[in-house]
Amino acid sequence: MTFVAVNPMSENCHFCEQPITSGLKIESDNRAFCCNGCAMADAMLNNRQAVGPGQKLLQRYAHLVVAGAQEGLQVYNADQASWRVQLPDIHCSSCLILLERMSEWLEGVLDVRVDFSAKRATIQFNPETLSIAVLAAWLDYVGYPPSLISAKERKRQDFSKLGIAGFAMGNAMMSAFPEYFGLDSQGHVGLLTVFRWSTAVFATLSVVVAGISYLQNAFKAIRSRQWSLDIPIAVGMIALWSWSVYELLAGLSGGYFDSLSGLIFFLLLGKMLQERTYAAFSFERTVKDFLPLSVYCQRVEGFLKLDQLVPEDNITIQEGGIIPINVKVNHPISVDYSFLTGESAPVHLDVGQTAYQGGRVLHKPLLGKVLDNIAEQSTSDLWKEEDYGTTGWVSASITAWFTSTVLILSFFGGLVWYFVAPERAVEIAVSVLIIACPCALSLAAPFAYGTASALLSKRKLYLKSGRAVADLAAVQVAMWDKTGTLTQKGLDKSELSLTSEDAAAVLFIANTSIHPVAQSLVTSLSGIASQTPQTFIEIKEVSGKGLEAKGRDSTFWRIGSGNWIGQPPGPTYIEKNGEILGAFTPEWTYRPLQSMFKSLDKLGLTNVLISGDQPRDLPKEWNQFFKDRLHFSCSPKEKRALVEQYKRGMYLGDGLNDVEAIDAALVGLAVVDNVLGYFPKGNGVIFSEALPNLPEFLRYAKRMKRWTKGAYLLSLFYNIAGIGFALTGQLSPVVAAILMPISSITVVLFSTAGAYLLAPKG
Amino acid sequence: MGIIYLLLFFSLIIAAAFLWAFLWSNSDGQFDDVEGPAMRMLRDEKSPKSSTNS
């Protein structure tokens, strides 16, 4: 006999399967939903709502037809485009589900990715079947009208609002002063009335012009039955205003109009100040600085960091490499944009066409000219692909719980005060509503971990997201790839005696490949080759065999294995026009990591070796670190399976043949000797020279986790103390509005300072 | 005390004029970048070409 636990009191949403808060239930087609978004999403995905945007909506967005004229719109190809658009109405997880599954209910949409915290979506679509105007109309129709004004425009609007709020506050306070200073109603009735009414007019102006966004947001949240943090503020504003109007009309007093206008001004000012602070500490915006991206640039005949490239620079990107910057290609080539668009069919480009950043180069290396300055392109989008931004740290249910608690506390606080001192009841209820803000709660973790990852990047561990730091703190198992990770490749230079002209050519050819052998050749030749190499018509990588190149002076080059070139197997040969210039055998040596393994042992980590090689030549002294947890001859798939066995595991590999394993691990890191390119999978990249510091990094991550808990406690303390002061009548709404942003900012400072203080030296 | 009404009226007009001046300069874009122009004015303009590049 089986039992199914059924709780008759709680019902789950038909769509998102979250329990429905009683009183917020929406029924449609005999199904119960927790919010309108879910009901809509369900109807859309099950095709039960076959209508669409009407003429009116289509008309509204008809002007969007011109491709490229819209900010954030990028057209890759005739049938592939992406639109990064601000959708201010995104508010809950069902929004995310509905939008990210857009390709299932709207033809022409390829993929949608939502950045929840930024309220922004990146939509990949096919402009042939779906015009941008229709797409915009659909977005509006399902409840997310795209915001088409630019960031600059929005900033100006905010400034204007702040200016008006400041003007209103100054004048409202000015005209409220006489009453404070004892202008009594006996002698100067006329004057008093004028001052009271002028205060009221200014405060009302402030509400209508500057405070309206809080009311609108709260209204939207209520309409879609979501708890939002704007609700308490909106309730507070309405309560203060209507109570003041009552007192004014009844002739009791001038009301709280001066407080109200001050409140709005300080709310807006605080919001702006907060945004400034966040921008100053923003770890996201500096992503470019710590991306270890560099490309081979002909101008300097070597690798250059992306931000040092200038337009018209000739660059080479290896086969299989990801294009880091928009380039005009010098020869026909295929590019795979699946990483961006989810569409796996490669795009063929002709000479002079643009290859967009984020595409993967297929079949042969790409030679091209840099189009624009890196500063004008956002690389962060690619790198951050799997980052969850600031969401995911504080869930919607906590927000709901918090908001409702604040509303209840404020109501009962006001009620109690009504019996003690009726004239203060409204004021106190409002200050409770204003002071309580879980913002600080939601900011602690993103800022602590975000800063930590930025600091780690200075120590040559480049993590993609702040979240990875939290994951790093949880790591208990370290899994190691052998070749290229524990070992490094050395090359005896004496084996090669090339003329400097030949060396330059070989260096150039080898540079087009990310194969370890080719790269070891690059390392050893970089010192010798001083000449500008000849130009090549074609360079091709023959997978598993070697490299083939045709020079403009009709030379023919091959660098590769013995069987391929027709020589005894073993070393790698360099051949020019059928003549062997030299052969070399890269040697594998173990990196000096013994002391690092000892420290890892001390930290209590389990080390596991997962190698694709034959079980041979692991030095005896290394065995003690792995204690027979050795896996040899693993295929990439077997590696993945092994990694999946170890929960809370970290995988370190060279990022070439173990992409799968890196992806599967809780923390997957690619170990690199020099900077090469993107590693789309995994959580980050670590430079081999930083490997000895890995135990330090882990310890740092653990400490940061504890520090973040401290930051949580701090913000909890702020809220409890703030509400306590407000309830006991020691805070006026204006002071509350000033204190609220200060508490958020101190939590941010605390988190950031912790990340700096605890950071490993060096 | 009747003079107060007049003073109130004039002070409001002056305040409103300043508000208008702020709103106008804001919508004109004068607050878009508050640091750049200060640095730019200190730089010598050697040739029109170099000033457009950077």
Side-chain angles (χ1 to χ4, degrees):
Chain A
M1 198 168 151
T2 53
F3 285 97
V4 182
V6 175
N7 182 353
M9 293 305 286
S10 81
E11 197 175 0
N12 284 353
C13 174
H14 182 75
F15 187 73
C16 66
E17 289 168 6
Q18 303 255 328
I20 299 173
T21 324
S22 55
L24 292 182
K25 193 164 107 180
I26 291 180
E27 296 215 27
S28 139
D29 293 353
N30 293 327
R31 293 170 170 87
F33 299 101
C34 67
C35 67
N36 268 334
C38 282
M40 175 85 87
D42 185 67
M44 281 292 170
L45 293 175
N46 294 318
N47 256 336
R48 280 183 288 102
Q49 202 163 341
V51 250
Q55 273 308 313
K56 215 172 157 190
L57 272 183
L58 288 170
Q59 281 287 308
R60 187 184 303 169
Y61 295 103
H63 63 282
L64 286 179
V65 173
V66 195
Q70 186 55 42
E71 199 180 300
L73 182 71
Q74 207 162 35
V75 181
Y76 297 112
N77 206 13
D79 55 1
Q80 257 169 278
S82 107
W83 188 25
R84 200 154 63 125
V85 61
Q86 212 70 37
L87 303 173
D89 285 350
I90 291 178
H91 60 272
C92 68
S93 60
S94 67
C95 303
L96 198 109
I97 296 166
L98 178 66
L99 287 170
E100 294 213 329
R101 287 171 74 177
M102 205 169 173
S103 57
E104 293 171 31
W105 52 263
L106 186 59
E107 208 197 325
V109 174
L110 303 170
D111 186 47
V112 180
R113 210 158 268 283
V114 174
D115 182 341
F116 198 91
S117 52
K119 302 198 176 211
R120 187 174 59 203
T122 309
I123 302 167
Q124 314 288 345
F125 66 103
N126 181 346
E128 276 181 351
T129 46
L130 181 73
S131 82
I132 183 167
V134 177
L135 178 62
W138 266 99
L139 284 170
D140 195 335
Y141 176 69
V142 294
Y144 310 103
S147 159
L148 300 174
I149 58 168
S150 64
K152 197 196 254 173
E153 206 82 17
R154 209 167 298 130
K155 191 181 151 200
R156 284 185 192 173
Q157 279 182 8
D158 285 350
F159 261 143
S160 294
K161 279 185 184 172
L162 188 69
I164 292 169
F167 166 80
M169 179 191 73
N171 285 289
M173 295 226 164
M174 193 80 94
S175 38
F177 262 139
E179 202 175 339
Y180 283 141
F181 290 138
L183 180 77
D184 51 27
S185 44
Q186 264 80 48
H188 312 283
V189 184
L191 206 53
L192 188 68
T193 320
V194 167
F195 277 131
R196 278 183 181 175
W197 276 93
S198 94
T199 317
V201 167
F202 283 120
T204 312
L205 172 81
S206 187
V207 171
V208 170
V209 178
I212 197 80
S213 55
Y214 285 100
L215 300 180
Q216 281 169 340
N217 289 343
F219 176 70
K220 269 181 200 159
I222 292 169
R223 199 181 52 181
S224 56
R225 317 216 170 186
Q226 290 293 322
W227 289 106
S228 135
L229 306 171
D230 290 325
I231 294 177
I233 292 175
V235 169
M237 263 168 20
I238 292 171
L240 214 51
W241 188 81
S242 21
W243 187 260
S244 305
V245 168
Y246 161 73
E247 293 211 337
L248 178 70
L249 292 178
L252 297 172
S253 79
Y256 305 106
F257 284 119
D258 50 338
S259 289
L260 179 60
S261 59
L263 167 79
I264 293 172
F265 176 71
F266 283 113
L267 278 177
L268 289 180
L269 189 69
K271 206 164 122 187
M272 198 168 273
L273 204 63
Q274 268 177 350
E275 276 164 14
R276 288 255 164 143
T277 318
Y278 303 161
F281 285 102
S282 178
F283 35 86
E284 289 176 0
R285 209 161 301 172
T286 55
V287 98
K288 225 170 16 216
D289 303 336
F290 65 77
L291 270 184
L293 287 177
S294 58
V295 285
Y296 188 82
C297 172
Q298 263 90 315
R299 179 163 54 93
V300 297
E301 289 159 38
F303 281 95
L304 257 194
K305 281 184 91 179
L306 277 190
D307 49 0
Q308 290 165 331
L309 288 175
V310 295
E312 294 293 297
D313 265 347
N314 278 302
I315 58 169
T316 310
I317 300 157
Q318 290 110 349
E319 182 203 344
I322 299 221
I323 303 164
I325 184 169
N326 294 351
V327 287
K328 203 163 87 184
V329 298
N330 290 353
H331 53 90
I333 193 152
S334 303
V335 175
D336 168 20
Y337 286 118
S338 61
F339 181 43
L340 285 179
T341 61
E343 175 67 57
S344 57
V347 174
H348 300 282
L349 298 175
D350 275 326
V351 179
Q353 282 190 309
T354 306
Y356 288 100
Q357 58 170 187
R360 185 187 292 276
V361 180
L362 295 177
H363 310 312
K364 58 183 174 189
L366 181 149
L367 304 169
K369 274 194 172 59
V370 173
L371 269 182
D372 5 47
N373 236 324
I374 188 69
E376 286 144 28
Q377 302 186 15
S378 60
T379 44
S380 52
D381 277 1
L382 296 174
W383 184 253
K384 280 195 344 162
E385 210 223 2
E386 286 160 54
D387 197 356
Y388 296 96
T390 44
T391 48
W393 302 95
V394 171
S395 67
S397 62
I398 291 183
T399 312
W401 174 85
F402 192 93
T403 315
S404 46
T405 313
V406 167
L407 285 176
I408 291 165
L409 271 179
S410 143
F411 178 75
F412 284 105
L415 200 66
V416 169
W417 273 91
Y418 184 75
F419 292 110
V420 182
E423 73 281 358
R424 298 200 61 196
V426 175
E427 185 196 332
I428 282 160
V430 171
S431 37
V432 172
L433 291 176
I434 305 298
I435 190 77
C437 173
C439 328
L441 217 55
S442 61
L443 290 172
F447 271 89
Y449 291 134
T451 313
S453 76
L455 288 175
L456 283 175
S457 73
K458 288 198 183 132
R459 291 158 180 82
K460 313 233 156 169
L461 167 62
Y462 301 90
L463 294 171
K464 280 189 190 175
S465 67
R467 172 80 77 183
V469 180
D471 287 341
L472 210 56
V475 161
Q476 287 176 340
V477 181
M479 289 164 281
W480 298 84
D481 179 34
K482 189 167 79 76
T483 312
T485 307
L486 289 183
T487 59
Q488 60 190 348
K489 198 158 271 189
L491 183 66
D492 190 1
K493 280 179 198 164
S494 63
E495 286 178 53
L496 283 173
S497 49
L498 300 171
T499 65
S500 91
E501 191 191 341
D502 285 343
V506 170
L507 175 65
F508 187 82
I509 299 167
N511 236 330
T512 62
S513 167
I514 47 177
H515 195 277
V517 176
Q519 281 306 315
S520 70
L521 201 55
V522 172
T523 325
S524 55
L525 285 180
S526 299
I528 308 171
S530 52
Q531 274 198 345
T532 318
Q534 56 171 306
T535 14
F536 289 94
I537 303 168
E538 196 185 2
I539 301 175
K540 198 164 74 181
E541 183 161 357
V542 184
S543 190
K545 291 185 173 134
L547 291 158
E548 210 175 72
K550 278 189 203 118
R552 179 142 292 164
D553 53 353
S554 70
T555 46
F556 181 71
W557 296 79
R558 288 203 293 179
I559 303 170
S561 65
N563 327 0
W564 185 50
I565 298 204
Q567 295 288 328
T572 303
Y573 296 87
I574 301 172
E575 186 199 57
K576 180 189 179 186
N577 295 333
E579 176 197 341
I580 304 293
L581 290 183
F584 62 96
T585 321
E587 259 174 46
W588 295 100
T589 53
Y590 280 83
R591 299 185 200 272
L593 293 174
Q594 282 90 338
S595 62
M596 183 211 69
F597 275 109
K598 274 179 199 141
S599 310
L600 282 183
D601 264 351
K602 266 187 210 151
L603 275 177
L605 258 78
T606 315
N607 287 299
V608 180
L609 184 76
I610 300 179
S611 171
D613 296 344
Q614 301 301 316
R616 56 179 163 145
D617 67 24
L618 184 76
K620 280 237 168 64
E621 74 262 30
W622 285 68
N623 207 356
Q624 56 172 325
F625 306 124
F626 295 108
K627 305 214 172 56
D628 294 321
R629 287 178 298 263
L630 306 166
H631 305 274
F632 286 105
S633 314
C634 299
S635 70
K637 275 205 179 130
E638 285 167 331
K639 280 187 180 179
R640 186 189 180 105
L642 275 168
V643 169
E644 278 168 353
Q645 273 178 24
Y646 293 103
K647 302 280 176 251
R648 311 181 79 176
M650 165 171 75
Y651 183 89
L652 293 103
D654 58 11
L656 294 174
N657 54 13
D658 43 17
V659 175
E660 292 265 303
I662 283 183
D663 189 33
L666 176 65
V667 180
L669 297 176
V671 180
V672 295
D673 283 321
N674 50 11
V675 170
L676 281 174
Y678 277 110
F679 291 85
K681 298 279 182 185
N683 303 88
V685 175
I686 184 168
F687 271 52
S688 55
E689 59 194 280
L691 273 179
N693 297 328
L694 189 66
E696 272 307 305
F697 296 160
L698 289 172
R699 209 169 288 138
Y700 177 47
K702 282 187 205 262
R703 283 188 189 144
M704 276 319 292
K705 201 168 185 177
R706 278 200 293 274
W707 187 271
T708 309
K709 275 185 194 154
Y712 273 131
L713 284 180
L714 181 72
S715 63
L716 204 63
F717 164 77
Y718 265 129
N719 277 301
I720 291 171
I723 293 177
F725 279 124
L727 279 178
T728 47
Q730 295 171 60
L731 280 186
S732 72
V734 180
V735 177
I738 297 173
L739 286 183
M740 190 192 73
I742 291 179
S743 75
S744 305
I745 289 171
T746 46
V747 167
V748 166
L749 286 177
F750 180 82
S751 308
T752 315
Y756 276 96
L757 283 177
L758 299 175
K761 307 240 170 350
Chain B
M1 287 300 265
I3 196 70
I4 294 279
Y5 294 107
L6 195 67
L7 280 178
L8 197 65
F9 178 70
F10 277 121
S11 71
L12 266 183
I13 287 189
I14 293 170
F18 276 107
L19 178 67
W20 173 83
F22 169 73
L23 292 179
W24 170 80
S25 56
N26 182 42
S27 68
D28 196 40
Q30 295 186 19
F31 294 98
D32 288 353
D33 178 10
V34 289
E35 276 150 32
M39 300 174 200
R40 215 165 287 142
M41 69 165 282
L42 289 175
R43 199 184 54 194
D44 293 329
E45 277 179 47
K46 273 179 190 152
S47 68
K49 214 177 180 182
S50 67
S51 65
T52 48
N53 263 348
S54 50

